[in-house]
Amino acid sequence: MNTLRHRTTLLAAAGTALVLSLTACQSDGDGKSSSAPTTSATVASSPAAAASTAGKGTGTSDGTGSTGSTGSAGSAGSKGSAGATGERVSASTPVCTAKDVRVTAARQDGPPYTHIVLTAKNTTRHSCRLTGFPHIQFLESHKQDVPAVAKSKPATPVVLTAGAPAYALVKLSDGGVDENNEPVSAFSVMLDGDSTVIAVTAPGSDGIAVDPAKALTGYWTPELRNGADDF
């Protein structure tokens, strides 16, 4: 009996120890599990901070992006294209019209005065192309334009910058006393591509003597070609 009681006491003590041990284990486990969420929360807060930092970084990259876009300054590109747009304007310079130029006449060589020089000066602030030759009519009774001398045609188009002149040499007659010359104090000139009639005063107090059958004109050129056309 004593032995049985002793065993029972031991078993009871062992059971109590086991219960206490299990309780301690559960407590430890709970502590660990409760610390785990704490650790987990700490870890979770770290990514949040990282996310916040990343967000700020994104903002910075956005700022950089906007700076990049400003730097890309597509605007600079557009300015370049404007520069390119400017090259296109230069390539497509408008044709000179009567309102763009002032046409005057002066004697050339002589006597006898067989030639005059027409000068067309750009009076605007922009460039224009002076194409072809002057379309001249000396007499009301002779409505046909004075023929042009083909070999006087310049190799490249004549572009007049603001204030720049161009010239055309014009033959009036052969200078013979027996020619059918007619006195001309003023005559009309038209430019290629413009139907506006420009009234030009003939040089000299007595005007000029023109033989309609012999009259010829050269093309507009940037420089006066004295004698080069031989007409």
Side-chain angles (χ1 to χ4, degrees):
M1 291 293 295
N2 290 337
T3 302
L4 181 58
R5 287 181 181 174
H6 179 69
R7 287 182 181 175
T8 301
T9 302
L10 288 176
L11 288 175
T16 301
L18 179 59
V19 170
L20 290 175
S21 173
L22 287 175
T23 302
C25 288
Q26 286 177 357
S27 172
D28 290 343
D30 291 343
K32 288 179 183 178
S33 62
S34 64
S35 64
T38 304
T39 304
S40 168
T42 303
V43 172
S45 75
S46 279
S52 171
T53 305
K56 290 178 183 177
T58 305
T60 304
S61 74
D62 287 343
T64 305
S66 58
T67 303
S69 60
T70 304
S72 78
S75 5
S78 50
K79 286 180 183 176
S81 64
T85 305
E87 291 174 10
R88 286 195 299 272
V89 170
S90 171
S92 58
T93 305
V95 174
C96 297
T97 63
K99 66 181 181 180
D100 298 323
V101 299
R102 179 171 180 263
V103 180
T104 56
R107 293 185 185 273
Q108 207 265 348
D109 296 336
Y113 296 106
T114 58
H115 291 72
I116 60 173
V117 176
L118 292 184
T119 301
K121 182 178 180 180
N122 184 352
T123 58
T124 70
R125 295 183 179 181
H126 61 80
S127 298
C128 64
R129 283 183 296 117
L130 193 59
T131 61
F133 53 88
H135 297 267
I136 303 170
Q137 290 185 7
F138 282 116
L139 302 165
E140 286 292 332
S141 59
H142 193 81
K143 292 294 187 182
Q144 293 180 341
D145 289 349
V146 172
V149 178
K151 65 180 179 179
S152 67
K153 184 176 182 179
T156 57
V158 178
V159 177
L160 297 183
T161 56
Y167 308 94
L169 186 64
V170 181
K171 179 181 178 180
L172 304 176
S173 67
D174 285 337
V177 294
D178 295 329
E179 285 186 273
N180 295 320
N181 294 337
E182 297 193 41
V184 174
S185 59
F187 56 94
S188 66
V189 173
M190 289 191 296
L191 307 178
D192 266 3
D194 187 1
S195 60
T196 304
V197 176
I198 303 171
V200 179
T201 301
S205 57
D206 297 329
I208 54 179
V210 178
D211 182 349
K214 304 293 179 65
L216 295 169
T217 182
Y219 279 70
W220 293 113
T221 57
E223 295 179 355
L224 181 60
R225 302 171 62 179
N226 290 327
D229 300 315
D230 191 25
F231 66 89

